[in-house]
């Protein structure tokens, strides 16, 4: 960073009381920042003053940060330099640490920084702007060069006028479930595993929070569920509907062999019955339905008609075995949403 820019940041930090000069009156910006130095600054950022601390510097500052779990699991000595990796962990924890007054988290005091869970992008809605993301904390647009975030993941972002100018993933782990069917109180996944969803966490669905008891009722074949955990404890879940492709019309140029190659291994449903790819007919309209990762696709056939972009098909494979042709058609007409 150019010297002039460094001077500006140092001047601002000094004026706000977060740092002071070294004994020689200089700041030595090219030297490593020690744990003693960063602890002093972080304690002040959290609203504490010297009067709130007991003991001698820097151990009083370091002890407070340890009690607040900001330094949890990090082995250090006060005069050790803080590495970039360690600093990233510390800052991530700082954002989720309560201020001295206890009424808000540190991130809530920084208007340009927010925590967001990504709930919708163009990955699941092709009509969206490619840089638009919808989150639990509002709608934002990605600045040039900012990577597309993962659906269901939580990030710390820096924003300017609803433009995300920087983004960092949080230290969470994620389980990704692709749903095949619901069985009693459990979910059978497309990999044949059976899981029971945590009933003690909040879930997001269609941009809103829902109760855990409601989740099983909204799941369909190829619904996607993402469960986020911290230190082995699940903290939230996000549910996504299946992703529906644009309609494709079967043409006369598509021979039986071409259709077999195109839809090999996929379940193809026509009026509640499974058919082979070679049984598709000219002017049939087909929609492929996948999970949000583009996997486990199956195909639904609609005879000789297409209109707009399909956004939902009901019923899904979970219910096909229980329907006759008439019931399937009536349900399809009632619940399909065609955008004219």
């Amino acid at each position: 960073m150019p010297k002039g820019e460094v001077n500006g940041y140092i001047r601002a930090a000094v004026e706000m009381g977060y740092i002071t000069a070294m004994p020689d009156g200089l700041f030595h910006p090219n030297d490593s920042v020690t744990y003693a130095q960063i602890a002093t600054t972080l304690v002040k950022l959290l609203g504490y003053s010297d009067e709130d601390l007991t003991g001698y510097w820097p151990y009083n500052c370091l002890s407070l940060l340890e009690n607040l779990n900001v330094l949890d699991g990090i082995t250090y000595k006060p005069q050790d330099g803080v590495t970039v990796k360690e600093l990233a962990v510390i800052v991530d924890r700082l954002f989720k640490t309560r201020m001295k007054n206890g009424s808000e988290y540190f991130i809530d005091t920084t208007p340009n920084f927010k925590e967001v869970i990504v709930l919708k992008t163009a990955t699941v809605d092709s009509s969206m702007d490619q840089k638009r993301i919808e989150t639990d904390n509002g709608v934002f647009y990605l600045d040039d060069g900012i990577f597309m975030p993962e659906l269901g993941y939580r990030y710390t972002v820096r924003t300017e006028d609803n433009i995300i100018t920087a983004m960092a993933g949080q230290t969470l782990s994620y389980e990704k479930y692709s749903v095949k069917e619901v069985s009693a109180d459990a979910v059978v996944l497309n990999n044949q595993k059976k899981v029971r969803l945590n009933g003690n966490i909040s879930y997001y669905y269609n941009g809103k929070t829902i109760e855990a008891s409601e989740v099983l009722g909204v799941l369909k074949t190829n619904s996607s569920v993402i469960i986020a955990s911290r230190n082995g404890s699940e903290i939230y879940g996000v549910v996504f509907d299946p992703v529906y492709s644009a309609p494709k019309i079967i043409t006369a140029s598509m021979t039986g062999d071409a259709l077999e190659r195109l839809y090999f291994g996929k379940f193809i449903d026509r009026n509640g019955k499974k058919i082979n790819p070679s049984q598709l007919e000219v002017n049939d309209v087909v929609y492929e339905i996948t999970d949000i990762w583009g996997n486990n696709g199956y195909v639904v056939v609609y005879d000789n008609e297409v209109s707009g972009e399909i956004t939902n098909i009901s019923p899904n494979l979970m219910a096909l075995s229980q329907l006759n042709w008439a019931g399937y058609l009536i349900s399809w007409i009632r619940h399909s949403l065609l955008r004219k």
Side-chain angles (χ1 to χ4, degrees):
M1 183 178 292
K3 183 177 180 181
E5 292 187 28
V6 172
N7 290 342
Y9 285 115
I10 291 174
R11 185 180 302 108
V14 171
E15 291 175 354
M16 298 175 72
Y18 294 136
I19 63 173
T20 58
M22 301 292 283
D24 61 3
L26 302 177
F27 292 93
H28 302 280
N30 293 322
D31 291 353
S32 296
V33 176
T34 67
Y35 277 91
Q37 293 168 334
I38 198 172
T40 305
T41 297
L42 297 187
V43 164
K44 292 179 180 178
L45 285 173
L46 291 170
Y48 294 91
S49 63
D50 292 341
E51 289 72 25
D52 299 313
L53 306 174
T54 58
Y56 297 98
W57 182 87
Y59 301 100
N60 52 2
C61 295
L62 292 166
S63 177
L64 175 61
L65 293 182
E66 288 178 354
N67 291 337
L68 295 173
N69 298 319
V70 175
L71 300 177
D72 188 39
I74 299 176
T75 301
Y76 66 91
K77 295 178 181 178
Q79 299 310 315
D80 287 345
V82 183
T83 67
V84 173
K85 180 179 179 180
E86 291 163 345
L87 180 61
V89 173
I90 290 170
V91 172
D92 180 57
R93 292 172 178 171
L94 176 69
F95 278 130
K96 295 183 284 291
T97 300
R98 288 192 180 277
M99 299 293 291
K100 174 190 170 183
N101 59 23
S103 63
E104 56 188 352
Y105 292 97
F106 176 70
I107 196 170
D108 298 324
T109 70
T110 57
N112 292 105
F113 287 89
K114 296 179 173 63
E115 281 190 334
V116 301
I117 299 173
V118 179
L119 303 180
K120 191 176 183 182
T121 67
T123 301
V124 293
D125 184 352
S126 59
S127 68
M128 283 180 60
D129 186 299
Q130 291 294 312
K131 292 191 174 184
R132 177 185 172 102
I133 66 168
E134 297 181 12
T135 78
D136 65 319
N137 204 2
V139 176
F140 302 94
Y141 290 83
L142 302 176
D143 202 358
D144 291 342
I146 304 298
F147 65 92
M148 177 59 68
E150 290 274 354
L151 286 165
Y153 282 33
R154 187 158 71 184
Y155 296 87
T156 300
V157 299
R158 184 179 66 208
T159 65
E160 295 178 12
D161 297 326
N162 289 333
I163 304 295
I164 293 177
T165 59
M167 174 180 292
Q170 298 195 356
T171 52
L172 303 178
S173 58
Y174 300 91
E175 289 288 339
K176 301 178 180 181
Y177 300 144
S178 179
V179 175
K180 180 179 181 181
E181 60 184 5
V182 175
S183 174
D185 60 344
V187 177
V188 180
L189 307 181
N190 277 309
N191 61 8
Q192 307 307 317
K193 291 183 179 179
K194 183 180 288 189
V195 298
R196 284 180 169 79
L197 299 179
N198 191 333
N200 298 313
I201 60 174
S202 294
Y203 290 84
Y204 296 88
Y205 174 65
N206 282 341
K208 301 177 181 179
T209 56
I210 63 172
E211 298 295 330
S213 59
E214 301 176 76
V215 173
L216 295 184
V218 303
L219 294 179
K220 309 173 180 68
T221 299
N222 280 350
S223 287
S224 305
V225 182
I226 296 176
I227 304 295
S229 300
R230 177 185 290 116
N231 299 327
S233 298
E234 297 179 348
I235 56 176
Y236 72 84
V238 187
V239 179
F240 297 93
D241 281 332
V243 177
Y244 304 93
S245 73
K248 179 178 292 187
I249 301 174
I250 303 301
T251 66
S253 63
M254 295 179 177
T255 64
D257 288 343
L259 292 172
E260 289 289 349
R261 289 193 299 271
L262 186 61
Y263 296 112
F264 176 77
K266 295 186 183 299
F267 185 102
I268 304 177
D269 165 64
R270 183 202 294 278
N271 300 332
K273 295 181 180 179
K274 180 180 179 180
I275 66 171
N276 297 320
S278 59
Q279 293 175 281
L280 290 169
E281 300 175 357
V282 174
N283 293 328
D284 277 347
V285 181
V286 299
Y287 302 88
E288 186 166 358
I289 305 171
T290 68
D291 56 31
I292 63 172
W293 304 287
N295 299 323
N296 305 300
Y298 68 92
V299 176
V300 168
V301 184
Y302 184 59
D303 297 336
N304 305 319
E305 184 176 331
V306 59
S307 175
E309 177 185 346
I310 193 161
T311 58
N312 187 38
I313 292 177
S314 179
N316 58 81
L317 290 184
M318 292 182 186
L320 289 180
S321 62
Q322 302 172 11
L323 291 165
N324 58 26
W325 179 87
Y328 178 89
L329 185 58
I330 291 170
S331 183
W332 197 100
I333 292 172
R334 286 178 177 173
H335 298 286
S336 294
L337 301 178
L338 297 177
R339 189 154 50 212
K340 302 293 185 181

